[in-house]
Amino acid sequence: MQHRPQWNEVPTLLLIKQRTGIRPYLLQRAVPTVLANLWIGSLSEKDNTRDAFARDARILYHYFSSMAVDLESRLVNLKSITKNEVVGAVELLCVRNGRSLARATCTRRLEAIRSLLRSVQDHLLSTQDLTKDELHGVSVYFSAVERRFASAFKKHINRGASSVHSRVLSEEEIELIHLIMHPESELNPFRSYAIRVRNYCILRVACAAAPRRSELVLLETTDLDLSGTPTISVKHPTPRVIGQRRDRSALKTQTKSLPLTSELASLLATYLDSCRPELIGKGRVSTALFPSTADGKRLSGSSINRLFSRVADVIGAVAAFRLHPHGLRATSTTMQRKRLQSIEAISDSDLLLALSYHGGWAPDSQSVQLYTRLAIQERVERLLGFRSNPAGGAK
C-alpha cells in the first residue's frame, strides 16, 4: 500500500516580514520548498497578485503531497505528470462544492501554474550544463506539461460564471441600504442587536473611508481616534492579525488617515463601549475593530460578503441592484469626487491627489479615473450642456 502524507504534512504559507514588506514562503513538511520560493521571490507582480499566486501554488503542492508525490522532484527530473494527476490538481484548484469557481479565479490560477512551470524551466536552463538535445528535451517536457494543465483548466474556465462587476450606487439605493441595516430597523435580517450595530458600523465606515474589503476586516481599535478631531486610519497590519484567518487579507497599497463626522464617531464610540465587548465574549482578548462572535477574532473577507448577501436578500424584495463591498468602495470614492468638485478653487492636480489619498492609491494610479468614472461622466455632461449644474455649482 502506498504511503500518503498525513494532514500535518500539507504545505503551508509562512509570512515573513522583510524590509521590503511581508513576503510569503511555501513550506512542505516544515521545510521551505526550493523551486516554489525561488519563483515567488522572482515575481514582479503587485504584492496582492504575488500573494494570490503563492496561495494557488500551495493548492497545487497540496494535491501532489496528498498523492505522496514530490512535485519538484518530478519537474527537475522531467518525470511524467499523468493526465489523471493534472485533472485531479485542477479539480482542487477550480472546484468548490461541486461547482466550478468563477472564470476570473480559474484564469488567474492557470496563469499562476504557467508562471511557476516557466520559472522552473528557466531555473533548469540557467543552472544545468545541458547539451543541445537536453535543452530541446527540457523545452518539449515543459511545453507538454503546460498544455496538459491548460487543457484541464479550459473546461472549468468555460463552465465558471462570469464576474459580475459592481457599479456605483445611487443616493436612493444607499438610503435603502441604510434603512435596512439600521440597528432599529424591522427589515434588518440579523437578530442580535450587538451584531446589528457592528454591521451598521461596517456599512458606515465603508461609505466614509472607502476601504477595500481586506482593509475593512483588518481594522483594529487602535486605528480609531475619537478624541478631538476624530479620525480612522488604514495602515499596515501586523502578521499576527493577518494570520488570524486563512483569507490572507492584507493592505494592498497606500496607508491613509481620514476624518470622521462627529455623528459617525459617536456611533463608533457607542459600539466600542456597549456592543463590541459582547461580540468578543468574556475571557477573550482581541484588537479587531469588527470581531466575529464565533471566536472574538477579526472577521474574514468572506464573512463581509455573507453579511451583505443577507442584506441583499432583503433588498431583492423591494429593488434590484447588487450590494457588494467593492460597490460601496466605488460609491464612496465617487461621492467624494462630487464633493471635491463642488469646491471651485480646487485644481485638477489637487483633486487627483485628494482622491488618490482617499482611495489608498499611489499618486500616479489610474484607479481614480476607473473608480470615479460616473462622476467624470456627469461633469462632462454638465460641461456639454446635457446635465444641469447642482445647487452651488460644480467644478
Side-chain angles (χ1 to χ4, degrees):
M1 181 180 292
Q2 189 178 34
H3 169 71
R4 293 175 184 266
Q6 299 299 314
W7 174 253
N8 60 4
E9 295 176 333
V10 171
T12 57
L13 278 176
L14 179 66
L15 303 179
I16 302 295
K17 187 174 182 180
Q18 300 177 327
R19 286 184 297 176
T20 56
I22 297 174
R23 203 207 106 155
Y25 282 84
L26 186 65
L27 306 181
Q28 192 162 25
R29 292 186 284 280
V31 178
T33 57
V34 177
L35 299 178
N37 287 312
L38 285 174
W39 165 65
I40 293 171
S42 69
L43 291 173
S44 59
E45 285 80 1
K46 294 180 180 179
D47 288 352
N48 55 312
T49 303
R50 178 206 61 194
D51 292 352
F53 276 19
R55 293 194 297 271
D56 299 339
R58 177 190 176 276
I59 297 172
L60 180 71
Y61 277 71
H62 178 181
Y63 173 79
F64 282 97
S65 176
S66 71
M67 300 300 293
V69 171
D70 185 338
L71 176 60
E72 294 199 350
S73 177
R74 283 270 190 97
L75 295 174
V76 168
N77 293 293
L78 308 184
K79 298 295 184 180
S80 175
I81 298 177
T82 69
K83 179 180 179 180
N84 287 340
E85 289 172 339
V86 169
V87 169
V90 173
E91 288 279 339
L92 190 60
L93 283 158
C94 292
V95 176
R96 184 179 300 161
N97 298 325
R99 300 180 60 182
S100 295
L101 300 177
R103 291 181 185 177
T105 301
C106 295
T107 300
R108 189 205 69 223
R109 289 183 169 174
L110 171 57
E111 289 305 312
I113 303 308
R114 277 176 169 163
S115 177
L116 172 61
L117 291 173
R118 292 171 185 177
S119 174
V120 175
Q121 180 181 357
D122 290 343
H123 174 75
L124 289 178
L125 295 177
S126 62
T127 59
Q128 302 294 321
D129 186 14
L130 303 175
T131 65
K132 184 177 180 180
D133 288 342
E134 289 172 334
L135 289 171
H136 178 70
V138 170
S139 177
V140 169
Y141 171 81
F142 280 95
S143 295
V145 173
E146 187 175 322
R147 285 196 305 271
R148 184 161 284 176
F149 271 100
S151 177
F153 269 101
K154 184 178 180 180
K155 178 180 70 173
H156 297 289
I157 292 172
N158 291 337
R159 288 179 179 176
S162 299
S163 300
V164 179
H165 297 287
S166 301
R167 64 172 176 81
V168 174
L169 302 175
S170 67
E171 293 183 11
E172 292 77 14
E173 290 167 339
I174 289 292
E175 288 178 5
L176 177 59
I177 296 169
H178 278 254
L179 173 66
I180 294 172
M181 293 189 67
H182 193 280
E184 306 293 342
S185 173
E186 295 181 357
L187 297 173
N188 197 307
F190 297 90
R191 292 184 180 181
S192 166
Y193 186 77
I195 290 178
R196 286 183 171 197
V197 175
R198 180 202 66 188
N199 294 349
Y200 190 57
C201 288
I202 288 174
L203 172 67
R204 295 293 302 275
V205 169
C207 292
R212 297 169 177 82
R213 184 188 65 175
S214 59
E215 295 164 353
L216 189 61
V217 299
L218 289 171
L219 287 171
E220 299 181 74
T221 54
T222 52
D223 295 329
L224 292 177
D225 182 357
L226 303 181
S227 62
T229 302
T231 60
I232 185 169
S233 298
V234 176
K235 61 182 186 298
H236 289 285
T238 61
R240 178 179 177 275
V241 174
I242 294 175
Q244 285 182 345
R245 302 292 182 204
R246 291 185 178 183
D247 59 353
R248 287 293 321 282
S249 292
L251 185 74
K252 291 189 175 179
T253 52
Q254 307 297 303
T255 59
K256 61 183 179 181
S257 182
L258 299 172
L260 298 172
T261 65
S262 57
E263 188 269 335
L264 178 52
S266 177
L267 172 66
L268 289 168
T270 300
Y271 161 70
L272 290 175
D273 291 339
S274 305
C275 299
R276 184 176 172 276
E278 180 181 337
L279 297 173
I280 295 174
K282 293 182 179 180
R284 291 173 176 168
V285 177
S286 175
T287 61
L289 179 58
F290 300 124
S292 166
T293 56
D295 54 13
K297 297 178 181 179
R298 68 170 177 85
L299 291 172
S300 65
S302 58
S303 295
I304 297 293
N305 283 356
R306 289 193 295 270
L307 183 164
F308 286 119
S309 291
R310 290 189 63 179
V311 177
D313 290 340
V314 179
I315 292 172
V318 292
F321 61 88
R322 183 173 187 252
L323 176 58
H324 188 273
H326 195 261
L328 292 175
R329 175 168 162 78
T331 302
S332 175
T333 52
T334 295
M335 296 306 167
Q336 180 70 0
R337 182 171 194 130
K338 290 181 177 180
R339 286 191 290 269
L340 291 171
Q341 286 178 173
S342 67
I343 304 174
E344 295 187 4
I346 192 169
S347 65
D348 287 341
S349 59
D350 286 342
L351 174 66
L352 289 176
L353 187 63
L355 289 173
S356 297
Y357 185 81
H358 179 81
W361 296 300
D364 58 347
S365 173
Q366 296 298 311
S367 295
V368 172
Q369 283 76 13
L370 292 174
Y371 275 75
T372 64
R373 56 187 176 274
L374 178 61
I376 296 172
Q377 176 185 337
E378 291 180 358
R379 181 185 178 189
V380 171
E381 289 176 352
R382 282 194 295 271
L383 292 173
L384 296 177
F386 297 142
R387 183 188 292 265
S388 59
N389 283 316
K395 183 176 174 65

